[in-house]
């Protein structure tokens, strides 16, 4: 038997962190501008993809949109829902806003981000939201991160990182995975302290009840 060539070893690293922002509460992950396809030999084949537009990410951030998402999270808390809110902007104006309604609707799909995406699609008449930015108070979970990728969201801004379910940076990097057909520039930690404290108060109250 001939020896196996080492060149056939699969490439395990397809994306990595390239930059960490100066702001201690804001972390930015930059993905390689490549997509991955499987070649005839079953190995990853890298092909070039147009670089993502990170230059305007911080410049396009709208504090009032994150505040609106925070206000949606406060509404959720009053309803006994996990306090997470989301807002979608189009051309700098609020297109849709929503908060968690999982308990109220008894639906595993009723996360703030998914409800906001549904509202935005209803307003635009299209599932494709490639000119829209989404703001949410908590790092999206795998379901919501996948929905954002499928909706072709332009930019993502979120508040608190979620070490237990976050799918943007904490556990997975779905928004920056070049194997997918869309990548989303993102910034986390915006109003991170306020969003984390709101969640902490909510769960603290649950423990005392």
């Amino acid at each position: 038997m001939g020896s196996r060539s080492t060149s056939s070893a699969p490439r395990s690293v397809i994306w990595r962190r390239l930059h960490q922002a100066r702001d201690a509460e804001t972390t930015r992950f930059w993905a390689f501008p490549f997509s991955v396809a499987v070649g005839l030999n079953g190995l990853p084949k890298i092909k070039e993809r147009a670089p993502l537009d990170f230059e305007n990410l911080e410049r396009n951030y709208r504090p009032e949109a994150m505040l609106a998402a925070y206000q949606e999270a406060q509404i959720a808390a009053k309803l006994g829902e996990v306090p997470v809110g989301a807002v979608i902007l189009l051309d700098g104006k609020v297109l849709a806003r929503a908060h968690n309604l999982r308990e109220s609707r008894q639906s595993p799909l009723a996360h703030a981000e998914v409800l906001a995406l549904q509202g935005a699609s209803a307003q635009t008449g299209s599932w494709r939201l490639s000119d829209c930015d989404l703001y949410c108070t908590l790092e999206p979970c795998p379901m919501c991160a996948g929905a954002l990728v499928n909706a072709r969201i332009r930019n993502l801004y979120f508040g608190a990182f979620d070490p237990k379910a976050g799918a943007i940076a904490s556990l997975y990097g779905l928004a920056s995975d070049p194997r997918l057909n869309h990548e989303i520039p993102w910034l986390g930690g915006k109003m991170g302290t306020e969003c984390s404290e709101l969640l902490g108060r909510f769960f603290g109250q649950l423990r005392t009840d």
Side-chain angles (χ1 to χ4, degrees), residues 24-48:
E25 292 189 352
T26 301
T27 303
R28 183 189 311 168
F29 279 60
W30 288 29
F32 286 122
F34 298 117
S35 61
V36 177
V38 177
L40 294 178
N41 59 359
L43 300 178
K45 183 173 63 176
I46 306 296
K47 59 182 180 180
E48 288 191 19

Side-chain angles (χ1 to χ4, degrees), residues 20-85:
Q20 186 166 357
R22 289 186 297 270
D23 182 354
E25 292 189 352
T26 301
T27 303
R28 183 189 311 168
F29 279 60
W30 288 29
F32 286 122
F34 298 117
S35 61
V36 177
V38 177
L40 294 178
N41 59 359
L43 300 178
K45 183 173 63 176
I46 306 296
K47 59 182 180 180
E48 288 191 19
R49 174 183 288 177
L52 299 178
D53 182 11
F54 289 101
E55 295 301 322
N56 293 323
L57 190 59
E58 185 73 58
R59 188 181 309 135
N60 288 336
Y61 173 69
R62 298 290 183 267
E64 64 275 14
M66 184 57 73
L67 179 59
Y70 181 79
Q71 291 168 344
E72 288 292 323
Q74 290 177 311
I75 295 173
K78 293 178 181 178
L79 296 174
E81 300 278 355
V82 175
V84 178

Side-chain angles (χ1 to χ4, degrees), residues 117 140-152 167-168 174-175 180 184:
L117 289 173
C141 70
M143 176 183 72
C144 294
L148 297 181
V149 171
N150 284 326
R152 310 295 196 268
I168 303 300
L174 294 184
L180 301 176
I184 305 172

Side-chain angles (χ1 to χ4, degrees), residues 88 95-97 115-126 129 132 153:
I88 294 179
L95 179 65
R97 54 194 297 165
L115 296 176
L117 289 173
Q118 291 174 337
S121 291
Q123 289 292 323
T124 61
S126 174
L129 303 173
C132 297
I153 285 293

Side-chain angles (χ1 to χ4, degrees), residues 65-169:
M66 184 57 73
L67 179 59
Y70 181 79
Q71 291 168 344
E72 288 292 323
Q74 290 177 311
I75 295 173
K78 293 178 181 178
L79 296 174
E81 300 278 355
V82 175
V84 178
V87 168
I88 294 179
L89 295 191
L90 176 62
D91 296 329
K93 299 179 180 179
V94 174
L95 179 65
R97 54 194 297 165
H99 51 267
N100 266 0
L101 287 174
R102 185 171 61 175
E103 297 297 333
S104 301
R105 297 187 179 181
Q106 286 299 297
S107 170
L109 304 179
H111 286 200
E113 300 95 317
V114 172
L115 296 176
L117 289 173
Q118 291 174 337
S121 291
Q123 289 292 323
T124 61
S126 174
W127 62 266
R128 188 183 295 272
L129 303 173
S130 54
D131 293 324
C132 297
D133 298 337
L134 186 137
Y135 293 71
C136 53
T137 57
L138 182 65
E139 180 183 359
C141 70
M143 176 183 72
C144 294
L148 297 181
V149 171
N150 284 326
R152 310 295 196 268
I153 285 293
R154 183 177 64 175
N155 293 316
L156 168 64
Y157 304 91
F158 64 86
F161 285 83
D162 186 352
K164 294 184 178 180
I168 303 300

